[in-house]
Amino acid sequence: MELAIDPGPEPGTYAVRVLRSLSGDQPSGTIELDVDALVASVPGLEASVLASSVSSRRVMTERETAVQAVGAGLFGAVFSGPVESAYRASAAVAAERGRSLQLALRLNAPGLAAIPWETLFDPASGAYLSRKEPIVRWVPGPHDPEPTGLDPPLRILGMIAAPRGLPVLDVEAEQRRLEEALRPQIDAGRVELTWLAEASWHGIQDELLAHPWHVLHFVGHGGYDVATDEGLLALVGGDGRADYVSASRLADLLDEAEPTPRLVVLNSCQSGAASYTDLLSGTAAALVHSGIHAVAAMQFAITDAAAVAFSRAFYASLASGRPVGEAVRSGRIGILGAGPDTLEWVTPVLYLRGDDTRLLDPARLAAVTPPVPWWRRYRRVAAIGGAVAVAAGAAALLLPRVLEPPSASTEPPDGATTTPAAAPFEAVDMAVPADQAWTPTGVSCAPGDVLVVTASGVAMHGTDPTATVTPDGLAEPWFHQFNVPGLPDANTAGLIGSLDEEQDFFVVGSGVEYECPRAGELFLGINDMGLEGNSGAWSATIDRIDAD
């Protein structure tokens, strides 16, 4: 649903127009909104959001009450009368299709851009909109070509700017946290992460000229220059101190790249904040207006735990072929898992030009071949004359050895017999259809054996051509009603396993090491009771490490 909010006929009034909706309705109306009061409340709101990361409660805190009050006030003002009817009808259509409803806001009055629309709260459903459906801030541009899907892997250029004189950033820790957050996607071959050696103007320019990048991920300090009315990022200057780069200058720098990066992620304080007077002067909005397709940014300061949780879920969603708006919503849900009381899911914002699209083409994702995992590279070796296993322990697994032939005669002593070594298990590669409850693998195991399963690719969950799903499934709790018995809280439509198709259900996802509790045959399936309409298949590899 696309909504435009323009200046109204009288001071303090605004015109609301529904430009597109799933219901087909396009109503309009005039609302009253005290933008001055809302903007004045933002500092207190930011303090509440940050404080929530360390709070402990049993009932709703005063902090959340304040956030909810702002969100309910915004919802009541904008979604009233025919506009509310169009919204609820569109949400119903989306729900029938098993999808969420993206809300695109065209904020054409400058003061509106400074309001935290991500707090929108629907009292009727008791839900925050941004946690149930993507909310994007649409920014106009001189031309909005439809971007094409990119070939995986998603190439990310990471940069950490830690100039002297600003709050200290632990560069190694920041790198480690992002690498750990992206590790599953890197190991699956869907993401490549490269670190820029020096987050300076010339360092960025050299890298943009040398290689193509899909995503730029910036970690550092940002702010807003009231004097020039423009967003700022702090790069590292020639003297090691902060080189404050305005949004307009940064846009020119990124334009050096061919092609221009599709997405910029600004993990810096106030990188998503907008001016009260200039709609496009915020760093994120200015970058999108200059030609970047999408910018995910932070409208408030954000804690390390929340930033890591956002990145992990955000990039996992992108790497599974979901649109950018859905990925930001996944990031919000990731932040919710960082603590029971946190309100930091309000902090991320998404600025977008044109229609929301997937960065990676789902069809091309299906062809991604993950790198050979360590357990396939280092296999156990048996020797004649006994059950000698080179990889009997962790150290031996990681340090493969060459077995030298014995110097003495290999003939067995009188009366002895030679026990032939068991042939090593050969890994099984297979397809797991999404429209079949269980698929036999032909792999049996004994108690104590370890089955190592990895999976990749995308399948179709339902008949909607956009409803792609990876082996990790759908994390949204709404879908759990379709889960198979025994896995009520697992991701819906994800890859699962069982012994003998009848018990010992477990989650496989993109990879698992499962120790068999008993003898049985491995079956793989999908965590979905409604198989009708599903199509496609995932690629899976099964290896077995026999119990010693």
Side-chain angles (χ1 to χ4, degrees):
M1 182 174 179
E2 189 173 345
L3 204 67
I5 308 179
D6 303 283
E10 302 291 338
T13 65
Y14 296 87
V16 178
R17 295 175 294 133
V18 176
L19 303 180
R20 287 189 294 176
S21 69
L22 286 180
S23 67
D25 301 320
Q26 293 181 302
S28 61
T30 301
I31 65 171
E32 293 185 0
L33 202 61
D34 190 345
V35 172
D36 291 337
L38 284 167
V39 172
S41 71
V42 167
L45 196 68
E46 177 179 8
S48 295
V49 168
L50 275 174
S52 71
S53 65
V54 294
S55 68
S56 178
R57 67 176 170 89
R58 294 296 179 270
V59 296
M60 186 185 297
T61 63
E62 292 183 3
R63 301 185 184 99
E64 184 172 355
T65 300
V67 169
Q68 194 173 105
V70 171
L74 286 173
F75 185 91
V78 175
F79 295 95
S80 60
V83 174
E84 179 184 8
S85 298
Y87 166 73
R88 299 205 182 281
S90 296
V93 172
E96 289 176 359
R97 299 176 180 176
R99 310 299 296 170
S100 56
L101 176 70
Q102 176 173 279
L103 183 63
L105 300 175
R106 295 194 182 206
L107 305 173
N108 300 324
L112 299 177
I115 295 174
W117 293 95
E118 290 67 27
T119 64
L120 276 167
F121 179 81
D122 180 4
S125 64
Y128 294 96
L129 269 60
S130 64
R131 284 164 47 172
K132 298 297 181 184
E133 51 205 37
I135 292 182
V136 305
R137 301 182 179 208
W138 189 88
V139 176
H143 55 88
D144 298 319
E146 181 71 17
T148 57
L150 300 171
D151 288 323
L154 193 68
R155 291 175 47 81
I156 303 173
L157 176 62
M159 57 189 77
I160 300 177
R164 296 199 310 268
L166 293 182
V168 177
L169 290 176
D170 188 334
V171 174
E172 291 185 358
E174 292 283 356
Q175 290 180 340
R176 183 176 63 253
R177 281 192 283 264
L178 185 59
E179 288 169 358
E180 290 174 353
L182 301 186
R183 179 55 55 195
Q185 308 309 321
I186 294 173
D187 290 345
R190 299 175 187 150
V191 167
E192 283 183 3
L193 174 63
T194 302
W195 289 106
L196 183 66
E198 182 182 86
S200 65
W201 181 276
H202 295 297
I204 296 173
Q205 184 179 29
D206 290 345
E207 194 59 46
L208 293 177
L209 291 171
H211 304 100
W213 300 101
H214 302 152
V215 181
L216 299 186
H217 187 105
F218 175 86
V219 179
H221 300 286
Y224 199 86
D225 188 340
V226 179
T228 62
D229 202 27
E230 194 165 14
L232 303 170
L233 288 183
L235 302 183
V236 179
D239 58 356
R241 296 188 176 276
D243 174 18
Y244 287 99
V245 176
S246 65
S248 58
R249 288 177 61 206
L250 184 61
D252 289 339
L253 176 61
L254 298 185
D255 196 44
E256 280 276 80
E258 292 184 358
T260 303
R262 188 75 61 80
L263 169 68
V264 174
V265 179
L266 300 176
N267 189 359
S268 62
C269 302
Q270 296 183 323
S271 57
S275 164
Y276 183 77
T277 58
D278 183 357
L279 175 64
L280 299 175
S281 58
T283 307
L287 290 177
V288 173
H289 182 67
S290 73
I292 303 295
H293 177 67
V295 177
M298 306 298 156
Q299 61 184 327
F300 302 144
I302 188 168
T303 62
D304 288 340
V308 170
F310 175 82
S311 294
R312 179 182 291 112
F314 172 73
Y315 283 115
S317 188
L318 282 181
S320 70
R322 292 194 180 189
V324 182
E326 282 282 357
V328 171
R329 189 176 74 88
S330 295
R332 293 190 204 282
I333 303 303
I335 292 175
L336 278 175
D341 308 324
T342 184
L343 298 170
E344 289 194 90
W345 51 266
V346 171
T347 299
V349 296
L350 175 64
Y351 288 84
L352 186 73
R353 62 181 296 167
D355 290 332
D356 190 11
T357 57
R358 293 167 170 79
L359 265 67
L360 295 180
D361 188 326
R364 299 173 190 173
L365 271 172
V368 172
T369 302
V372 178
W374 63 266
W375 49 268
R376 293 287 304 276
R377 294 196 299 266
Y378 305 115
R379 299 181 61 85
R380 295 187 296 177
V381 180
I384 292 178
V388 180
V390 175
L397 276 170
L398 298 176
L399 298 172
R401 298 164 51 196
V402 177
L403 298 182
E404 299 292 339
S407 56
S409 171
T410 58
E411 292 295 325
D414 292 341
T417 59
T418 300
T419 302
F425 180 83
E426 292 295 330
V428 174
D429 295 311
M430 61 178 296
V432 183
D435 59 353
Q436 186 170 313
W438 293 107
T439 301
T441 66
V443 177
S444 298
C445 64
D449 289 351
V450 175
L451 299 177
V452 185
V453 186
T454 58
S456 62
V458 292
M460 303 303 297
H461 178 240
T463 57
D464 187 334
T466 66
T468 58
V469 63
T470 71
D472 291 320
L474 305 169
E476 293 87 341
W478 183 88
F479 289 105
H480 289 175
Q481 59 186 304
F482 304 112
N483 285 11
V484 301
L487 295 173
D489 299 321
N491 286 2
T492 307
L495 183 62
I496 58 176
S498 75
L499 291 183
D500 300 325
E501 194 182 355
E502 58 185 17
Q503 55 183 311
D504 301 313
F505 296 164
F506 61 94
V507 174
V508 176
S510 56
V512 70
E513 294 185 11
Y514 176 73
E515 183 173 342
C516 295
R518 60 179 178 83
E521 179 184 352
L522 173 66
F523 282 71
L524 295 178
I526 182 171
N527 187 20
D528 186 9
M529 293 297 291
L531 301 176
E532 184 177 355
N534 291 0
S535 61
W538 298 305
S539 298
T541 300
I542 306 105
D543 204 350
R544 187 183 70 207
I545 301 176
D546 298 335
D548 293 330

